Amino acid sequence: MTTLRTSSILGVLFLTAALGAGCAEKDTPIEPEPGSGGTGAGGDAGADAAKPTACPTGLPGPKLVALPAPDGSTYCMDQREVVNSEYQDFLKAVGGKLSDPPPECSWNTALVPELYDPSDPNNDDPGTGKCSVNTWNNDPSFAVVCVDFCDAWAYCSWAGKRLCGVHGAPGKSVNVMTEEQASAVGNSTASEWFNACTQGGTTKFPYGDTYLASRCVDDAKMKADGLQARSTKNTTNSACHGTKAPFDEVYHLSGNAKEWLNICRDGGLTCASQGGDRMSPVSYLECASFGSGYAGTISPFYGFRCCADAVTAAAP
């Protein structure tokens, strides 16, 4: 089995730069701000009895799954990507209005993308990567796409969660770093998404080291099952998950839709995505296939899921 890179050193280097710590003392851990939505130990690291290991319940969107981080702590990740019906619930709840976006998203003035109508004879050049009204109005059980980085950020914040990013970094801030740092962290278990996709840094795909056609929503599955292959809200019959607990409870980290991540550069104008999409070649479906794009990208191939801090389990 292939063992992928871990991130104890990279994580500290990244957090020092991303959080503006300047010249931090050697080997000094950087803790998330209390109540900031960070992914650290969640309070008093010495209080083992109160160590957060459970996930919040009753929040909008997919069920959260508790996952182990390389440092022994726990964080939570949505079981699957957010789907159309859940994003529509969000739009109805907020009335389509932005609420307290981070400074890096000050340019984002709408939570609904500008769409083109393919039946409109005056709109014969929608442009590469644009979204049609048909894509936006697809089945409510499909992963939501045509959302930019800041739309994804806004949904996760509204849901009481945060966009998946870097373990230990404050979740209420956009993690901005250099291109080199972003690539290094994104392909290490310092990334919450990469840690989940590789089952703690042990596999190339969510299910193992060897690509299996149609295991996830890829080109082969689309050709075999048609459009309905994109119906991913019900995970009961899906084989696209990890092979060992608890990673076997997280679905669709490969294929279906690229997922926005809170790993950005260029002052927050360029942000990461991982996982490949339903049309991606095999090499893009590997967990280590790290990409980035303009944060305002609206594409039928970009979606997202959320993460959250673990909480202390209630006493029986």
Side-chain angles (χ1 to χ4, degrees):
M1 177 172 289
T2 301
T3 300
L4 302 175
R5 285 183 296 168
T6 55
S7 60
S8 57
I9 295 176
L10 285 174
V12 172
L13 289 176
F14 161 70
L15 288 173
T16 301
L19 303 180
C23 297
E25 294 182 10
K26 185 178 180 181
D27 297 328
T28 301
I30 300 175
E31 302 293 342
E33 300 169 10
S36 67
T39 56
D44 183 3
D48 290 339
K51 189 174 181 180
T53 57
C55 289
T57 58
L59 300 179
K63 168 190 172 183
L64 287 164
V65 177
L67 300 175
D71 64 2
S73 63
T74 300
Y75 68 100
C76 301
M77 174 179 275
D78 278 347
Q79 184 180 49
R80 52 165 172 77
E81 293 151 329
V82 174
V83 299
N84 282 328
S85 61
E86 291 162 339
Y87 194 81
Q88 293 295 340
D89 288 342
F90 158 61
L91 293 178
K92 292 175 184 176
V94 301
K97 297 180 181 179
L98 292 160
S99 176
D100 194 27
E104 293 82 359
C105 289
S106 60
W107 54 266
N108 193 38
T109 59
L111 297 169
V112 178
E114 183 178 346
L115 308 172
Y116 77 91
D117 185 349
S119 65
D120 184 351
N122 297 316
N123 199 348
D124 59 356
D125 185 20
T128 302
K130 296 294 184 181
C131 285
S132 73
V133 292
N134 295 336
T135 301
W136 183 251
N137 295 323
N138 259 327
D139 191 297
S141 66
F142 290 5
V144 64
V145 291
C146 305
V147 288
D148 61 40
F149 169 83
C150 292
D151 297 336
W153 176 285
Y155 175 91
C156 291
S157 179
W158 165 80
K161 306 175 185 178
R162 52 181 168 68
L163 197 59
C164 298
V166 182
H167 184 67
K172 289 187 177 180
S173 301
V174 174
N175 295 323
V176 179
M177 62 207 82
T178 67
E179 182 174 0
E180 199 172 65
Q181 289 169 331
S183 181
V185 174
N187 282 329
S188 75
T189 51
S191 162
E192 294 172 319
W193 189 95
F194 185 87
N195 180 65
C197 186
T198 62
Q199 303 189 85
T202 63
T203 56
K204 290 182 179 180
F205 296 92
Y207 46 79
D209 283 339
T210 304
Y211 167 69
L212 298 175
S214 296
R215 177 81 180 241
C216 296
V217 184
D218 55 10
D219 186 51
K221 190 170 183 63
M222 290 294 297
K223 288 176 178 176
D225 297 347
L227 194 63
Q228 198 54 33
R230 295 175 56 195
S231 183
T232 54
K233 184 174 183 179
N234 185 346
T235 59
T236 302
N237 297 318
S238 174
C240 189
H241 55 75
T243 56
K244 58 184 179 181
F247 301 104
D248 58 349
E249 295 183 53
V250 182
Y251 296 77
H252 302 297
L253 288 168
S254 177
N256 202 31
K258 299 181 183 74
E259 298 185 25
W260 285 114
L261 302 177
N262 185 10
I263 300 176
C264 302
R265 56 183 174 85
D266 303 330
L269 290 179
T270 304
C271 297
S273 65
Q274 268 175 287
D277 57 63
R278 60 189 180 276
M279 303 298 289
S280 292
V282 174
S283 61
Y284 286 21
L285 298 175
E286 291 188 19
C287 300
S289 179
F290 182 85
S292 61
Y294 169 53
T297 297
I298 297 296
S299 166
F301 300 107
Y302 278 72
F304 70 97
R305 74 182 68 211
C306 307
C307 285
D309 290 344
V311 297
T312 304

